[in-house]
Amino acid sequence: MKASAPAAEPREQGPNFIEAIIEEDNRTGVYGGQVVTRFPPEPNGYLHIGHAKSICLNFGLGLKYGGRTHMRFDDTNPLTEEPEFVESILGDVRWLGFDWGTHLHYASDYFEQLYRFAEELIKLGRAYVCSLTAEQISEYRGDFFKPGRDSPFRQRSVDENLALFRDMRAGIFQDGQHTLRLKIDMSAGNPNLRDPPIYRIRRARHHRTGDAWCIYPLYDYTHCISDAIEGITHSICTLEFEAHRALYDWVLAELKNIPPGASVAPPRGSPKQIEFGRLNLTYTVMSKRKLLRLVNEGHVEGWDDPRMLTIAGLRRRGFTPASVRNFAALIGVTKNDAPIDMSVLENAVREDLNASAPRALAVLRPLKVVLENWPAGDVDHVDLVNHPLKPELGTRKVPFGRELYIDAEDFEEQPPKGFFRLAPGKEVRLRGAYFITCTAVKKDAGGKVVELTCTVDRDSRGGEAKDGRKVKGTIHWVSAAHAVDVRARLYDRLFSVENPDDTFLEQLNPHSLDVVVAKAEPSLAQAAPGTHVQLERVGYFFADPKDSKPGAPVWNRVVGLKDSWSKEKKKG
RNA sequence: UGGGGAAUCGUCUAACGGCAGGACAACGGAUUCUGAUUCCGUUUAUCUAGGUUCGAAUCCUAGUUCCCCAACCA
């Protein structure tokens, strides 16, 4: 053993694989040291925690490398897109704390350019109008094992294609009658390369361009061009687009062949698509389809139900933007397709709220306690610290009297081994107040404990006995005469199984929501919506911004405190 | 009978030819007026088989397992 080994420096966490690519690009100068990323949602639904990972990744990269990040809506399917979603998405990204500056873009901004590029591709012999039906296209495409066959329309002349495509735009044809297809390779192993359609005829009102168009470009064609137009350098998407990368690169490469003097110049950018593994979390579902069923079939109260891992739901539940960002940083970025343990998310919000949330006392399942040696009508006001980690937040006066409530969980008539809360003949400390000892138990006809009689040691005011004796347990309490009733919603994980499958509706956690009326210290009835509090020994709560009324907050449990006693108890 | 990807503690994730590290979880202990927080400690990992090398998670070969792709969705 070395006599004086230097303290080991914690090793640096290396860059993730995307940062490694960027740093290499910066080193070689391919993009002149520029880093431009984008977050490109389709405005057809609400964002969830998985999108949050992508938002943090893209905006985080822009920030880290002194570049920028664009907000871009991939709005090429007018059937499913609505301005309402644009607004909610923008609000969610802002809430997470990110800023796109002047770079709010829409793929629909590029419709005219996209159209011209398509005409140029036709002129280059790289695109043709196909008049097969959707079923026929699918049939001609072959399958994984069988190569496709050329469309009978594949050899139309440039002039015919151009005329047809212009007529498509002009609205001469019916919906679905023709498509514009790329001419690539019907026998390619990658089915995305088997002459993919890039334009379809669809008479639908677009949320931004209205009725200006009756043909709309498809994703694979639109996305790469949009990236190139905006000067995106690193186009980051999820793993399921890996097989699309060949198409992405093909389109941009072909565009480079547009001759000088054409009606459009090729876009200057040469973005590269990089795929990462999307977020999966235990005890939840992430697919839009499943989330939709939860909402539509009434298993939750809406997209912003605090049990939903939508950003709107997280926000209402009381997660903080910082906790979501920290979570994203914690889980890292790789190409592995793997689930993250829900406890990592829960831990991230505990960590944030532990540092910031002021403390308060409330009893969720009240059990009355009468102090037999405390005069009725006598009221004391004891000092409680607002935040043990932040003494500068000071103390507050909390009323104390003869009749109190404690939590039913904090009393056991026959205490199990290791229980150091209240029990007949046992003494505990009421947090910040006095020591009490249980002397009698009152039960109802059914044998249920309904009231406790205790004695109080008035010399223990402030929570320290004069004679120096110690108690093992400290429990929370509230004065019955001063307590206010507050609504508390005790949220828990939405699913009771780690990996909900297709029978997810049968795997819902029946206890994901428990509504109680708690007895709380008076200040909790005055809290403004949107404020956080730690109910000591219970958990972190958030005054619901939607359901709270002035003077009547509704408290959402964000997450419980860690509870090693309940674990101990389970072990027996 | 195609194409594209991925395999490191229980779970995520580092190490890029040179001590397998961190976080979460679990377990034990210390401190504590929150059975919280904090602190300390413990257990547990390189998919398999060959090869190259003084030395392999890392390079090579062969295999295994898992994920994605056959919308006029994104």
Side-chain angles (χ1 to χ4, degrees), chain A residues 33 80 86 91 118 137 170 195 200 204 235 237 277 288 292 299 324 447 463 507 533:
Chain A
T80 59
V86 170
I137 286 180
D195 290 11
R200 76 285 220 190
S235 178
C237 61
K288 212 170 259 181
L292 190 65
H299 301 287
V324 177
Q507 296 164 328
V533 73

Side-chain angles (χ1 to χ4, degrees), chain A residues 276-301:
Chain A
F276 72 97
R278 63 161 67 217
L279 172 66
N280 295 296
L281 263 182
T282 58
Y283 296 99
T284 192
V285 294
M286 209 70 88
S287 83
K288 212 170 259 181
R289 197 194 111 254
K290 287 178 178 171
L291 293 175
L292 190 65
R293 285 194 66 190
L294 290 172
V295 173
N296 286 349
E297 296 174 28
H299 301 287
V300 295
E301 280 155 34

Side-chain angles (χ1 to χ4, degrees), chain A residues 277-530:
Chain A
R278 63 161 67 217
L279 172 66
N280 295 296
L281 263 182
T282 58
Y283 296 99
T284 192
V285 294
M286 209 70 88
S287 83
K288 212 170 259 181
R289 197 194 111 254
K290 287 178 178 171
L291 293 175
L292 190 65
R293 285 194 66 190
L294 290 172
V295 173
N296 286 349
E297 296 174 28
H299 301 287
V300 295
E301 280 155 34
W303 286 99
D304 63 348
D305 185 298
R307 289 167 293 184
M308 293 280 276
L309 291 187
T310 50
I311 296 183
L314 290 166
R315 175 166 37 183
R316 239 185 108 189
R317 172 84 164 254
F319 280 77
T320 57
S323 68
V324 177
R325 278 186 254 118
N326 291 343
F327 169 72
L330 228 44
I331 60 177
V333 180
T334 66
K335 297 186 83 134
N336 294 337
D337 180 27
I340 305 289
D341 202 299
M342 182 65 89
S343 67
V344 179
L345 213 211
E346 294 168 342
N347 189 265
V349 72
R350 272 194 203 102
E351 190 176 276
D352 189 30
L353 261 18
N354 176 48
S356 63
R359 315 284 131 126
L361 260 29
V363 171
L364 263 28
R365 307 189 198 277
L367 172 60
K368 187 168 246 181
V369 169
V370 177
L371 304 177
E372 53 186 345
N373 59 338
W374 186 285
D378 187 0
V379 177
D380 188 9
H381 288 87
V382 295
D383 292 304
L384 273 105
V385 299
N386 288 325
H387 199 307
L389 273 24
K390 293 182 173 175
E392 68 274 18
L393 260 34
T395 61
R396 66 190 185 283
K397 298 278 185 199
V398 180
F400 184 95
R402 175 180 166 88
E403 297 195 348
L404 310 166
Y405 293 110
I406 65 165
D407 214 299
E409 278 190 5
D410 287 336
F411 174 79
E412 288 281 1
E413 199 175 8
Q414 272 144 6
K417 189 168 174 290
F419 185 81
F420 47 83
R421 279 111 101 148
L422 200 58
K426 300 260 288 225
E427 184 172 45
V428 294
R429 171 168 39 232
L430 297 177
R431 168 129 250 234
Y434 294 90
F435 285 12
I436 63 168
T437 304
C438 178
T439 53
V441 180
K442 192 187 286 181
K443 299 183 194 174
D444 66 11
K448 184 173 172 262
V449 175
V450 292
E451 189 178 303
L452 266 24
T453 304
C454 297
T455 58
V456 58
D457 173 9
R458 293 206 71 144
D459 282 340
S460 63
R461 186 172 192 278
E464 301 285 359
K466 231 172 209 165
D467 62 10
R469 74 183 186 285
K470 301 287 181 202
V471 289
K472 187 77 174 144
T474 298
I475 64 175
H476 56 289
W477 55 275
V478 63
S479 164
H482 306 85
V484 291
D485 286 347
V486 297
R487 281 166 65 82
R489 298 194 287 214
L490 310 180
Y491 291 109
D492 200 352
R493 296 170 176 179
L494 228 202
F495 292 90
S496 50
V497 301
E498 210 171 302
N499 298 303
D501 54 29
D502 285 338
T503 67
F504 67 106
L505 292 177
E506 281 120 64
Q507 296 164 328
L508 285 159
N509 175 6
H511 308 294
S512 64
L513 170 58
D514 191 5
V515 180
V516 300
V517 175
K519 296 288 187 187
E521 66 171 271
S523 66
L524 287 175
Q526 304 309 322

